[in-house]
């Protein structure tokens, strides 16, 4: 019931059926995993640790080609340009 409600909501927000199906699939996987963990009380720590390891590995694989220095370079350029601009404005006032 919850999955269908969130899926319908995501369909209207994302305005694509493909996005809604992806959201429904992710929710179904998460709820299935939680059900399994609740039923395997003795192995809850092990399964939780394995899931976190898999999620961390996935994030590392997805972000391995991102140049983080370049990703934040635009923001630092704007800050330095503002600083240079304000210094130039002060120099004109003094003259």
């Amino acid at each position: 019931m919850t999955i269908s409600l969130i899926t319908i909501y995501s369909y209207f927000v994302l305005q694509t059926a493909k996005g809604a199906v992806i959201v429904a699939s992710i929710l179904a996987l998460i709820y299935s995993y939680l059900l399994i963990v609740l039923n395997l009380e003795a192995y809850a720590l092990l399964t939780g640790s394995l899931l976190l390891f898999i999620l961390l590995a996935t994030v590392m694989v997805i972000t391995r080609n991102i140049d983080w220095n370049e990703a934040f370079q635009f923001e630092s350029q704007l800050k330095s340009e503002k600083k240079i601009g304000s210094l130039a404005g002060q120099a004109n006032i003094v003259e």
Side-chain angles (χ1 to χ4, degrees):
M1 189 161 123
T2 305
I3 294 175
S4 61
L5 180 67
I6 295 172
T7 302
I8 292 169
Y9 177 77
S10 64
Y11 174 74
F12 287 110
V13 170
L14 299 174
Q15 297 179 351
T16 61
K18 182 180 178 182
V21 169
I22 291 171
V23 168
S25 302
I26 291 171
L27 286 173
L29 284 172
I30 290 171
Y31 285 147
S32 300
Y33 175 76
L34 290 174
L35 180 65
I36 291 169
V37 168
L38 287 174
N39 287 330
L40 298 173
E41 295 173 11
Y43 297 105
L45 181 61
L46 177 64
T47 55
S49 299
L50 286 174
L51 177 69
L52 286 177
F53 178 78
I54 291 168
L55 289 176
L56 177 63
T58 304
V59 169
M60 290 173 69
V61 167
I62 291 171
T63 61
R64 71 177 178 246
N65 293 325
I66 296 176
D67 184 8
W68 293 103
N69 293 323
E70 185 179 322
F72 295 105
Q73 185 177 7
F74 181 72
E75 183 178 319
S76 63
Q77 278 182 338
L78 287 178
K79 288 180 183 177
S80 64
E81 287 174 5
K82 286 181 183 178
K83 189 181 289 185
I84 291 171
S86 66
L87 291 176
Q90 290 175 355
N92 291 336
I93 294 172
V94 174
E95 296 176 338

